[in-house]
Amino acid sequence: MQHHHSVDASGVFSGPVGADLRAMLASKENVLAALPVDLSATLRFAAGWVVVTSERLLACDPGTTTWRSWPLGEGLTLKLHDHGGVGSLELHNPQERLAQWRFTLAHHAQALRLVQRFEQQSARGDSGAEDEADEPACPTCHTPLPPDTEECPACARAQPPQTSTWVLLRLWRFARPYRKQLAAGFALTLASTAATLVPPYLTIPLMDDILIPFQNGKQIEPGLVLLYLSGLLLSALAAWGLSWARTYILALVSERIGADLRTTTYEHLLRLSLDYFGGKRTGDLMARIGSETDRINVFLSLHALDFITDVLMIVMTAAILFSINPWLALVTLVPLPFIGWMIHTVRDRLRTGFE
């Protein structure tokens, strides 16, 4: 009789223990889910499998080639949990723990599907592929969907959508009460960036009117030299003062935003059910409230500020260059798109590495 196995079973049948598993299956027995367990009991890397069929639970422990079997019954339960980057799957009956398998969290999605199929098959109590054919199934993992829903619980938990950088725009509702301070900080950013560009701009007349004529033996008026040097000094002092005021205001605003964010998150945690805290470690939740909001504060007060300053510096520098010589400015700015592309590529690789 032809078998109708799940897509998860392709890995186990193509492996070294696939032939033994195929020989153990009955004529009407289908593999519903398969989990590769890649850690032994001593947490060393080794290959093994846990398989749920329509009639029983099969397991080949890491480092072995023999299969163990437990018929699906009323008393069997599977418990899944993880700690320190290691997932653990335990099989229990009402009296004791029968088996335990460990795996890296790269296989966590498959573990979720296996537990779901095990619970569904245990609750159904029958073993017919014909019955499954009439049920709506998830197009991704082919798991039967719960009644009155089109969302697969296993895929929803195992494949969260990738967080976009644009999600930081949600911080605006926390920044809204401080929009006047933010406007003042932006104005100071413009002023400090403009003051920073004054010394390079004064370098042109300083070279043309003082240094080059003096090198050619021409008499230079001391008042003109004093004027240019005073301009350089005043612009440097103005840039320093404006930069200090800008950093002070924006750092203060970022700390206020972080405090509001921590308060709102903590109040939201207090309104959650006890079932939520049963699957989460409270210490980790509280630590994330502190550490993640601190990272947001650093981003707002340092990294975002540096990014805005750099963008304004590039724009103002480009305007000055075009006012002096458009063709020379164009040649100077040609590498900018390539540099932007390189930054985008390296950022994606770094983010993948950190994840």
Side-chain angles (χ1 to χ4, degrees), residues 10-236:
S10 58
V12 62
F13 284 125
S14 61
V17 294
D20 296 336
L21 174 62
R22 196 181 298 274
M24 294 178 60
L25 297 178
S27 59
K28 296 184 179 180
E29 188 176 8
N30 298 317
V31 175
L32 304 180
L35 168 67
V37 286
D38 50 1
L39 293 176
S40 65
T42 57
L43 297 182
R44 295 181 179 272
F45 288 106
W49 286 92
V50 179
V51 175
V52 172
T53 71
S54 53
E55 298 179 3
R56 52 185 167 167
L57 178 72
L58 298 167
C60 179
D61 293 333
T64 65
T65 57
T66 58
W67 287 88
R68 294 188 292 167
S69 173
W70 295 270
L72 298 181
E74 290 292 336
L76 290 182
T77 58
L78 275 179
K79 297 182 179 180
L80 176 65
H81 56 87
D82 64 89
H83 178 72
V86 176
S88 178
L89 184 67
E90 298 179 355
L91 179 66
H92 290 259
N93 65 12
Q95 291 78 30
E96 59 181 346
R97 185 178 70 185
L98 300 177
Q100 182 184 32
W101 303 277
R102 301 180 186 274
F103 56 91
T104 58
L105 291 185
H107 305 295
H108 189 64
Q110 292 169 280
L112 288 172
R113 287 194 288 269
L114 183 133
V115 172
Q116 186 183 39
R117 298 309 297 267
F118 177 86
E119 293 174 351
Q120 291 174 350
Q121 197 65 22
S122 297
R124 185 179 295 117
D126 59 85
S127 57
E130 295 80 3
D131 297 337
E132 292 184 333
D134 298 332
E135 297 181 357
C138 173
T140 303
C141 63
H142 302 282
T143 301
L145 298 177
D148 302 329
T149 182
E150 296 181 356
E151 182 180 4
C152 177
C155 293
R157 289 179 292 177
Q159 300 174 0
Q162 186 177 3
T163 303
S164 172
T165 307
W166 296 104
V167 77
L168 290 172
L169 294 177
R170 296 181 183 178
L171 291 173
W172 173 246
R173 71 186 184 97
F174 296 98
R176 187 186 299 273
Y178 311 104
R179 54 184 178 272
K180 293 182 179 179
Q181 291 90 330
L182 289 173
F186 182 73
L188 289 172
T189 301
L190 287 175
S192 63
T193 305
T196 305
L197 293 175
V198 170
Y201 196 75
L202 286 179
T203 304
I204 300 174
L206 185 64
M207 292 288 296
D208 295 341
D209 300 340
I210 295 178
L211 295 181
I212 295 178
F214 180 77
Q215 185 180 8
N216 294 332
K218 184 179 179 180
Q219 186 68 26
I220 304 298
E221 296 183 6
L224 185 61
V225 176
L226 182 61
L227 177 63
Y228 284 129
L229 293 180
S230 300
L232 291 174
L233 177 61
L234 291 176
S235 62

